[in-house]
Amino acid sequence: MTTKPTVLVTGATGQQGGSVARALFGQGYPVRALTRNPDSAAARALAAAGAQIHTGDFSDPGSVERAARGADAMFLVTNFWETGAEGETQQGVSAAKAAKAAGVGHLVFSSVADADKATGIPHFESKYRVEEAIAELDIAHTIIAPAGFMENVTAPWSIGALSQGTYAFGLPPERKLQLIAVADIGAFAAAVIGRGASVFGQRFDIAGDELTGTEQAAILAQAIGRPIRYQEIPLEAARQQDAESAIMFEWFDRVGYDVDIPALHKAFPEVAWRSFEAWARKADWSVLNQPPQAIAG
């Protein structure tokens, strides 16, 4: 019997890292989970599922290196929204160097689709600088680069309007946007870890579906069971609220993600590749009935 490689998952109690850990558990991989708070409910759930919990933080590269020693592979995800562009790049590079120092055999970094195409979007550019640093480290690696998350529909900044029957986003109603379910990011990361040397040095932009805002709203209405209308957020209004997001919306409308979805899905049939409709049908819409403070928390 072939022994599955041991994988260190950073951000294991978060959205992406959690999806990777679950996908790896489902395929029998030994999982180490790096977390800043080993006593959190999410960390305890990972431990109950069989993960080895390692306490660490990207601000302490030594803690990452200690957790990575003896691991065959490592999944690395960074968070621009916590650190800003400079901080994200710094933390991603230091974590990648820690993986190299620990002798990790395969580093899988989660970037963002089209980050390698000079988008000018700060949180795309910060991730691409991590990609460039990894390429210079002489470590076996794979870059996975997701499009927009389907789960953003239920994020705190979206759910309030959705609970009132409006799906609001910063694109014209008939402009298509490529999306991916977070569970498929985890499944894809597990797939590239499983493929090993055959994907070393490769970069994969990944998406599960492509829809207009109008199409998304119609699917949401069907899934939720109430009328949902699409509302375009004007660029100037978006810019006043969050300049970073406005830059991204402008790029989405002018250029947009360009994943070759049919070719990707054919190349990786082991991933479920959920459509937006399939995702919406199984989403927990009880969140729409929670008070605002519970949603925001």
Side-chain angles (χ1 to χ4, degrees):
M1 180 181 293
T2 303
T3 302
K4 294 274 191 179
T6 296
V7 184
L8 172 65
V9 178
T10 71
T13 57
Q15 194 167 221
Q16 279 196 69
S19 75
V20 173
R22 288 188 291 273
L24 292 169
F25 283 139
Q27 297 178 34
Y29 284 86
V31 174
R32 297 180 185 177
L34 186 71
T35 178
R36 289 174 293 187
N37 184 4
D39 297 320
S40 68
R44 290 197 300 270
L46 286 168
Q52 295 180 7
I53 304 300
H54 291 257
T55 304
D57 193 300
F58 288 160
S59 64
D60 177 11
S63 68
V64 181
E65 183 179 341
R66 288 190 293 274
R69 285 178 190 150
D72 302 291
M74 173 172 152
F75 173 77
L76 173 60
V77 61
T78 53
N79 191 338
F80 168 90
W81 306 105
E82 282 190 0
T83 64
E86 184 177 343
E88 178 175 42
T89 298
Q90 181 179 12
Q91 290 192 353
V93 172
S94 67
K97 288 180 177 178
K100 168 74 173 177
V104 169
H106 186 188
L107 177 64
V108 177
F109 174 58
S110 182
S111 182
V112 61
D114 291 307
D116 57 340
K117 295 176 182 174
T119 65
I121 305 168
H123 71 278
F124 285 40
E125 301 291 334
S126 56
K127 289 177 177 63
Y128 187 60
R129 288 192 289 273
V130 178
E131 293 187 42
E132 292 179 308
I134 289 171
E136 295 175 357
L137 276 179
D138 191 28
I139 183 173
H141 67 276
T142 307
I143 306 299
I144 67 173
F149 295 0
M150 295 179 187
E151 281 74 6
N152 286 341
V153 171
T154 56
W157 57 84
S158 300
I159 203 71
L162 194 62
S163 67
Q164 300 300 314
T166 299
Y167 174 48
F169 197 71
L171 282 179
E174 300 309 316
R175 180 66 164 93
K176 287 183 177 290
L177 180 68
Q178 293 183 336
L179 301 167
I180 188 167
V182 169
D184 287 342
I185 301 174
F188 190 82
V192 300
I193 289 169
R195 294 193 183 195
S198 68
V199 295
F200 287 176
Q202 295 193 53
R203 186 184 196 282
F204 298 96
D205 284 5
I206 58 175
D209 206 349
E210 183 174 26
L211 310 95
T212 67
T214 300
E215 290 169 337
Q216 291 176 62
I219 289 169
L220 291 171
Q222 185 69 28
I224 296 169
R226 66 177 76 164
I228 301 291
R229 68 182 183 89
Y230 181 79
Q231 178 177 312
E232 177 183 356
I233 301 173
L235 191 61
E236 283 307 314
R239 186 173 287 115
Q240 290 176 12
Q241 187 172 23
D242 179 15
E244 168 75 18
S245 294
I247 295 169
M248 180 178 65
F249 292 151
E250 187 174 27
W251 182 83
F252 281 163
D253 191 26
R254 181 170 46 85
V255 182
Y257 298 123
D258 59 356
V259 180
D260 186 340
I261 292 177
L264 172 71
H265 294 188
K266 183 178 180 181
F268 287 86
E270 63 268 47
V271 178
W273 298 120
R274 294 159 179 81
S275 66
F276 186 73
E277 182 178 9
W279 172 83
R281 197 166 52 241
K282 293 198 172 182
D284 179 9
W285 296 111
S286 66
V287 68
L288 296 176
N289 302 317
Q290 296 178 23
Q293 61 269 28
I295 294 170

